Amino acid sequence: MTRTENNHNGSDETQKTKLSFEDADESMYDGGDNNADVADDITSADYYFDSYSHFGIHEEMLKDVVRTKCYQDVIYKNKFLIKDKIVLDVGAGTGILSLFCAKAGAAHVYAVECSQMADTAREIVKSNGFSDVITVLKGKIEEIKLPIPKVDVIISEWMGYFLLYENMLDTVLYARNKWLVDGGTVLPDKASLYLTAIEDAHYKDDKVEFWDDVYGFDMSCIKRKAITEPLVDTVDGNQIVTDSKMLKTMDISKMASGDASFTAPFKLVAQRNDHIHALVAYFDVAFTMCHKKMGFSTGPKSRATHWKQTVLYLEDVLTICEGETITGSMTIAQNKKNPRDVDIKLNYSLNGQHCKISRTQLYRMR
Ligand code: SAH
């Protein structure tokens, strides 16, 4: 099974996984400029460590119109942020954000990409006539040398599932600390995580209770594991039972790396009588430096994105009446062994008419 088929998703669609490259074979990064030859040498073993080398994952991101069009609008409608500026594109992929910036009149764009896609980005930049404005640098942000001491703008699409999975935010903060000029711009500069609660009997049956009786056999030991793994999937707006609360907002232009680990309290108020099977997390990002504030949400009431939502199943079914509240807290931390994984601790309690419960559950995005 490849990383792109992991269990963050109930469906079989291609996954975006902003993988780190620490475990990858370093020889993958050696290859020179000879794109066609290099690309033909890539095998499934390389993709296992480096799914961003394959165009499929970039196709999925580019076709996520909510995502890509938002970045395009931010750049084209706010040229004052980019025109005559030195821009650093952190994790350039196909180079799309660099191309937007070049078109908006950037003085120069440094497009840094560590996967094999860097070779392709260079080819794309050339065939679109931007070779003298965009310099593609192949390597990890943490390891490359920029030919200039400071940049005016850092742009990046670093967000992972559950916002923080894959931990590319650290790479952006590293670049900001090292190269961003005082008073420079980070795009986007705000990211917020939200929580709500849903009715989801049908899917919980399919994904969790399923293991109780598999062709007549008890596989409930897998059920205990399954429930600890948040599921990345699309939630229907009709499933939402409570209001939605912001857990945390981060200012990418100011925050420290440690700020992405936190404990946040929440209080969700039921908007109807129903059963609750899961809590659902989602995020939004904002570009507050724009003339008019811009951004997008990955919430269940917004147009779907490839990030979908992240569903955390509860061990109990909560029977809740309109107006009753689920109170609790969520602790989010990088996993110590694998910093790309996210550990989640959820405390929740309901002291309702039909249901009194207080519980702690642990989850891990891996
Ligand atoms: N900017 C592109 C791609 C976004 S996906 C777009 O918007 O379509 C994030 C990209 O960052 C991937 O291509 C991945 O290979 C790259 N990346 C992740 N960590 C990196 C690092 N430490 N240094 C350089 N590139 C990195």
Side-chain angles (χ1 to χ4, degrees):
M1 194 180 83
T2 68
R3 290 299 299 240
T4 53
E5 288 166 358
N6 68 14
N7 49 9
H8 287 287
N9 193 334
S11 77
D12 56 2
E13 283 176 44
T14 317
Q15 297 267 320
K16 176 164 96 168
T17 47
K18 288 196 171 66
L19 297 173
S20 97
F21 300 89
E22 267 117 58
D23 12 350
D25 178 351
E26 288 300 324
S27 66
M28 282 167 26
Y29 304 112
D30 292 340
D33 288 334
N34 196 342
N35 325 323
D37 293 349
V38 171
D40 287 348
D41 281 350
I42 302 175
T43 68
S44 60
D46 298 320
Y47 289 137
Y48 180 86
F49 290 114
D50 182 5
S51 61
Y52 283 108
S53 289
H54 192 272
F55 63 83
I57 208 160
H58 296 279
E59 179 178 355
E60 190 191 13
M61 290 189 287
L62 294 169
K63 285 181 176 169
D64 182 336
V65 178
V66 173
R67 180 200 87 109
T68 310
K69 190 81 172 57
C70 178
Y71 277 85
Q72 185 185 42
D73 284 347
V74 163
I75 296 165
Y76 286 5
K77 293 183 179 163
N78 297 276
K79 295 210 171 95
F80 69 95
L81 291 173
I82 303 292
K83 195 166 172 353
D84 302 326
K85 300 285 169 62
I86 309 272
V87 179
L88 173 61
D89 180 356
V90 174
T94 53
I96 184 71
L97 306 183
S98 296
L99 292 162
F100 290 154
C101 291
K103 232 179 157 175
H108 205 88
V109 187
Y110 294 94
V112 181
E113 170 58 44
C114 61
S115 76
Q116 303 286 3
M117 194 47 66
D119 299 323
T120 310
R122 203 173 283 126
E123 209 178 322
I124 292 169
V125 164
K126 193 171 167 207
S127 53
N128 285 277
F130 285 112
S131 291
D132 43 354
V133 186
I134 303 173
T135 305
V136 178
L137 299 166
K138 185 179 185 179
K140 286 193 219 172
I141 282 282
E142 294 81 357
E143 291 168 5
I144 52 126
K145 286 196 176 70
L146 274 193
I148 34 122
K150 291 285 166 198
V151 301
D152 304 307
V153 179
I154 287 182
I155 191 162
S156 184
E157 197 282 82
W158 53 270
M159 296 80 75
Y161 295 130
F162 189 64
L163 185 62
L164 296 168
Y165 179 59
E166 300 168 59
N167 197 26
M168 205 184 141
L169 176 56
D170 266 357
T171 297
V172 175
L173 300 180
Y174 176 94
R176 181 202 68 189
N177 294 346
K178 190 162 177 183
W179 291 299
L180 189 65
V181 73
D182 271 352
T185 307
V186 183
L187 299 172
D189 62 328
K190 292 273 161 55
S192 308
L193 194 64
Y194 298 81
L195 196 65
T196 188
I198 58 165
E199 189 286 328
D200 203 17
H202 180 71
Y203 213 61
K204 191 185 178 202
D205 256 12
D206 185 46
K207 296 301 292 181
V208 181
E209 319 304 346
F210 166 78
W211 298 106
D212 281 337
D213 177 358
V214 181
Y215 296 87
F217 298 102
D218 175 358
M219 297 195 184
S220 56
C221 55
I222 298 185
K223 172 178 166 172
R224 285 192 288 280
K225 289 194 176 72
I227 206 161
T228 67
E229 302 211 353
L231 197 79
V232 172
D233 211 344
T234 314
V235 167
D236 192 295
N238 297 329
Q239 294 176 262
I240 299 171
V241 178
T242 65
D243 59 356
S244 181
K245 291 288 161 59
M246 189 169 80
L247 280 177
K248 174 85 174 174
T249 186
M250 291 183 287
D251 182 339
I252 318 302
S253 66
K254 295 198 181 80
M255 70 182 287
S257 165
D259 299 342
S261 296
F262 56 87
T263 298
F266 62 83
K267 184 173 165 188
L268 301 175
V269 184
Q271 290 165 327
R272 63 183 189 224
N273 295 344
D274 211 331
H275 301 286
I276 287 171
H277 300 88
L279 299 191
V280 171
Y282 59 90
F283 64 89
D284 64 20
V285 294
F287 300 77
T288 69
M289 309 296 282
C290 295
H291 181 56
K292 261 177 68 186
K293 192 179 149 192
M294 299 176 83
F296 63 88
S297 168
T298 64
K301 290 184 176 160
S302 304
R303 185 170 166 192
T305 70
H306 75 286
W307 285 285
K308 303 177 181 177
Q309 289 88 39
T310 302
V311 181
L312 299 106
Y313 284 109
L314 304 179
E315 280 180 32
D316 321 274
V317 179
L318 311 184
T319 304
I320 201 164
C321 301
E322 185 177 350
E324 291 180 351
T325 57
I326 306 171
T327 54
S329 65
M330 187 177 267
T331 302
I332 294 172
Q334 277 180 13
N335 183 269
K336 291 208 169 67
K337 269 201 205 134
N338 185 348
R340 285 185 295 114
D341 288 3
V342 184
D343 288 331
I344 304 165
K345 182 168 150 195
L346 176 67
N347 287 313
Y348 59 91
S349 42
L350 168 63
N351 189 7
Q353 196 186 334
H354 301 307
C355 185
K356 294 189 196 319
I357 213 152
S358 190
R359 203 186 265 285
T360 300
Q361 280 184 241
L362 302 175
Y363 303 85
R364 178 153 166 203
M365 299 278 293
R366 65 174 101 218

